[in-house]
Amino acid sequence: MTGEPRIGDVFGELLRDALAVSTGIGPRPLAGGRLARPVIEIIERDDGLINGAPAAHYLDGPAEWQPHDHRAVDRVRGATLDVGVGAGRIALLLQEWGVPVTGLDTSPGALAVCRRRGVRDLVSGTVDEHVADGRRYDTFLLLGNNLGLIEGRERAPGFLAALAALARPGAQVIAHGSNPYGTRDPVHTGYHELNRRRGRLGGQLRLRLRYRELGTEWFDYLVCSPEELGDLVHGSPWWLADVDDRDAPYYLATLRLRAR
Amino acid sequence: MTGEPRIGDVFGELLRDALAVSTGIGPRPLAGGRLARPVIEIIERDDGLINGAPAAHYLDGPAEWQPHDHRAVDRVRGATLDVGVGAGRIALLLQEWGVPVTGLDTSPGALAVCRRRGVRDLVSGTVDEHVADGRRYDTFLLLGNNLGLIEGRERAPGFLAALAALARPGAQVIAHGSNPYGTRDPVHTGYHELNRRRGRLGGQLRLRLRYRELGTEWFDYLVCSPEELGDLVHGSPWWLADVDDRDAPYYLATLRLRAR
C-alpha cells in the first residue's frame, strides 16, 4: 500500500469537524473513540515538507484575529466578495456591520459550515465561474493568506482578469500575503532556489491538503514579496496602490481597478 | 516531485522543537518567521489515513496525565526500564520518587531531550540490543500506547523473549494499550478488515511518522484487544496476570514472568 489519500473535500471535512469540536455538537473525531482531539489541517509540500496546523483559527472571532485582519476589514466599502470564505469568520463580521457581503468558496463543506454559522449570501465556485452569475462588487477580500490564489506567473493574468470582470468601476482588492524571503531556514531557502531553477517564482508552493483519509490534488499557492506582486499585477486591469507591512513578514496589498 | 520525506530522527526533532516551544529556549518553528506554532506530530497509515497530534503532551507533568498513567506508575517496583522513554515524563517522576529507572529509546534526539530535562540513566537502542549490556530489571514500562512495540504475531515472540532476557525473577511488564474494536468508524473498521484479509491482526497498524522534512521508514505498531494480547503472550516467558480497563478503550496490561 502506498499511503495515498482519497481525493475529496478536505477543507470542508476539516471545517465541519472543527465546528463540531468547538460547539460540542455533532460527530467529531475522538482519540480511541473517547477523548476529543483537536482538528489538525495537514499541508504537504512537493519536496516532502509537511506541516500540521490546528484548524480552530478558521472559526476565530475578531478578538482572536491578527491586527492585519482588522485593518483589512476597515478598508472594506460597498458590495464585497469574500474570496475563499472558509468558515465565514470575516463575512460574519461584515454582515453584522451591515456590509453587503457574498462568500465564495469551491468547498461544498466550507459553504455548509458558513450556512450553519449564519452567513446568508454564499456562492459555490471559482472567481472565473462566478463571472457568468452577473453580480458585481466594489471590494474583493483575499484574506487568510489567500493572495496565494494568484498561484504564479501563469495563473495571475487570468485570476486578475476574472476579478476585473466581477468589478464595478473604482473597485479594490484587499489581499493578505506573506513575504517568504526573510527566512534563513534551509528547508525554505533551498525550496525557493529549487523553484527558481524549475522556472517558478521562489515562493510558488506546490501543495496538497490532507485530512484523515482525504487529500486534495496538488495545486500551486503563491507566497510572494510585494515586489513580485507588483510584477504580477503589471499589465493587468489592476494597479498596486498600497502595501501595508506593519505586521511584516505579513502584508496587506491593496489593488485598485484602472480607469478603463 | 513526489512529496516523499527524507528519512531521519523524526521523533527526536519533534521533541526537541516541542521542548523549545514549551521553554521558549532555542530555535523553534515559526509561522512566517514570526508567530510560534505548536509542534504537531504527523502519523500516516499505509491506507492513506493521516492524523496530526500536538506533541506537547510528551512533556506533560503528572497533573496533566490520564488516570491510567498514574495507576501504571503506582505498580512500579524495583529496577525499572522505561521502554520508549520519549521526552522522559514518566522517568522523571520515578526518579523523583527514588525509583532506579533507566530510559531506553532508539531516538538520539529523544535521549538528548531526556538528558536536558534531567533524566540521569539513559540507554540508546532496542530491547534486543540492550540485553548484551548485562543489566536486569524488575519492572518494564510500556506506556504512552507502547504496547504497540509488540508489533504483531511475527515480532511478539522475539520482543517478549528480549524482555525476559532483561528480567530478574518475579519481574513484571506494565503496558498501556488501546482496544481498537469499539469503533464503528468505517475508516477504522474497513482497515481492520483489510488487515485480516492480508493475514495481519486487525489493529496491526502500518505507520510512519513525519515531521517537517523528515519521515521514518514504515513500521508496524499494534493496537490490540486484551484477548489478542493474551494470545500473543501465550507460550512466551510471560503470562497475562491482569487487565485494568477502567479507562476503556484504554487498558493497562500486567504481564508476569513465569517461574523458570
Side-chain angles (χ1 to χ4, degrees):
Chain A
M1 303 194 76
T2 60
E4 282 297 298
R6 181 157 65 76
I7 301 297
D9 182 12
V10 172
F11 195 58
E13 295 286 300
L14 178 87
L15 293 182
R16 191 196 54 192
D17 283 357
L19 182 62
V21 168
S22 89
T23 60
I25 297 166
R28 49 201 185 278
L30 301 169
R34 193 152 173 281
L35 302 170
R37 54 162 99 215
V39 173
I40 306 285
E41 178 175 20
I42 292 174
I43 304 157
E44 270 190 293
R45 203 171 65 184
D46 68 340
D47 63 337
L49 183 71
I50 196 161
N51 272 307
H57 71 91
Y58 288 113
L59 304 168
D60 276 353
E64 299 140 313
W65 292 357
Q66 295 294 312
H68 48 78
D69 279 334
H70 289 283
R71 296 202 300 276
V73 291
D74 286 343
R75 290 180 175 224
V76 165
R77 50 169 184 67
T80 298
L81 184 68
D82 186 350
V83 180
V85 64
R89 64 183 180 94
I90 302 285
L92 283 168
L93 180 67
L94 294 178
Q95 213 171 258
E96 201 177 293
W97 285 355
V99 174
V101 58
T102 303
L104 182 74
D105 216 291
T106 57
S107 159
L111 294 170
V113 165
C114 278
R115 211 168 289 121
R116 276 168 51 201
R117 296 182 79 206
V119 181
R120 285 188 295 265
D121 188 13
L122 293 162
V123 174
S124 171
T126 62
V127 289
D128 309 69
E129 289 160 357
H130 188 38
V131 173
D133 298 337
R135 300 178 54 175
R136 299 298 176 255
Y137 301 93
D138 301 295
T139 298
F140 300 89
L141 291 176
L142 298 166
L143 302 187
N145 246 327
N146 267 343
L147 178 56
L149 296 173
I150 201 170
E151 291 184 17
R153 286 189 200 98
E154 283 188 37
R155 169 68 176 146
F159 183 76
L160 293 169
L163 291 180
L166 289 164
R168 290 186 183 145
Q172 60 176 351
V173 177
I174 315 290
H176 169 218
S178 303
N179 189 333
Y181 305 123
T183 181
R184 271 180 280 182
D185 184 338
V187 167
H188 295 300
T189 56
Y191 187 75
H192 300 158
E193 199 41 55
L194 167 74
N195 258 343
R196 290 187 191 104
R197 281 200 307 273
R198 51 185 184 172
R200 296 158 63 87
L201 289 170
Q204 190 172 350
L205 311 181
R206 186 125 188 107
L207 304 176
R208 67 174 175 185
L209 305 182
R210 294 177 66 179
Y211 180 62
R212 292 174 47 85
E213 76 276 25
L214 298 181
T216 65
E217 305 280 4
W218 291 95
F219 60 91
D220 281 354
Y221 197 74
L222 184 66
V223 286
C224 67
S225 65
E227 294 85 338
E228 287 173 323
L229 178 63
D231 291 343
L232 291 171
V233 170
H234 186 80
S236 82
W238 304 90
W239 61 283
L240 179 55
D242 185 62
V243 175
D244 162 1
D245 63 356
R246 275 184 281 169
D247 301 329
Y250 305 117
Y251 60 88
L252 285 178
T254 301
L255 312 184
R256 296 200 184 284
L257 194 63
R258 294 174 193 277
R260 307 188 209 205
Chain B
M1 302 192 75
T2 61
E4 282 297 298
R6 181 158 63 78
I7 301 296
D9 182 11
V10 172
F11 196 57
E13 295 286 302
L14 179 87
L15 293 182
R16 190 196 56 193
D17 283 357
L19 183 63
V21 168
S22 88
T23 60
I25 298 167
R28 52 201 183 279
L30 301 170
R34 190 152 175 281
L35 303 170
R37 55 162 98 215
V39 174
I40 306 284
E41 177 176 20
I42 291 174
I43 305 157
E44 270 190 293
R45 202 170 66 183
D46 68 340
D47 62 337
L49 183 71
I50 198 162
N51 272 307
H57 71 93
Y58 288 113
L59 304 169
D60 276 352
E64 298 141 312
W65 292 357
Q66 295 294 311
H68 49 78
D69 279 334
H70 290 282
R71 296 201 302 277
V73 292
D74 285 344
R75 290 181 175 224
V76 165
R77 50 170 183 66
T80 297
L81 185 67
D82 186 350
V83 180
V85 65
R89 65 182 180 94
I90 302 284
L92 283 168
L93 180 67
L94 294 177
Q95 212 171 258
E96 203 178 290
W97 286 355
V99 173
V101 58
T102 303
L104 181 74
D105 216 292
T106 57
S107 159
L111 294 170
V113 164
C114 278
R115 211 169 287 120
R116 277 169 51 202
R117 297 182 78 206
V119 181
R120 287 188 294 266
D121 188 12
L122 292 162
V123 174
S124 169
T126 63
V127 289
D128 310 70
E129 289 162 357
H130 188 36
V131 173
D133 297 338
R135 300 177 55 176
R136 299 298 176 255
Y137 301 93
D138 301 296
T139 297
F140 300 89
L141 290 176
L142 298 166
L143 301 186
N145 247 326
N146 267 342
L147 177 57
L149 296 173
I150 201 170
E151 290 184 17
R153 287 190 200 99
E154 283 187 36
R155 170 66 176 146
F159 183 75
L160 293 170
L163 291 181
L166 289 165
R168 290 188 184 143
Q172 61 175 349
V173 177
I174 315 290
H176 170 219
S178 304
N179 188 334
Y181 304 124
T183 181
R184 271 179 279 183
D185 184 338
V187 168
H188 295 300
T189 57
Y191 187 76
H192 299 158
E193 199 41 54
L194 167 74
N195 258 344
R196 290 189 190 104
R197 281 200 306 273
R198 50 185 186 174
R200 297 158 62 87
L201 290 169
Q204 189 171 351
L205 311 181
R206 187 126 186 105
L207 304 176
R208 66 176 176 184
L209 305 182
R210 296 177 65 179
Y211 180 63
R212 291 174 49 85
E213 76 276 27
L214 298 180
T216 65
E217 304 280 4
W218 291 95
F219 61 91
D220 281 352
Y221 196 75
L222 184 65
V223 287
C224 66
S225 65
E227 294 85 337
E228 288 174 324
L229 177 62
D231 291 344
L232 291 171
V233 170
H234 186 78
S236 83
W238 302 89
W239 61 283
L240 179 55
D242 185 63
V243 175
D244 162 0
D245 63 357
R246 274 184 281 170
D247 299 329
Y250 306 117
Y251 60 89
L252 286 178
T254 301
L255 311 184
R256 295 201 183 285
L257 194 63
R258 293 173 194 277
R260 304 186 214 209

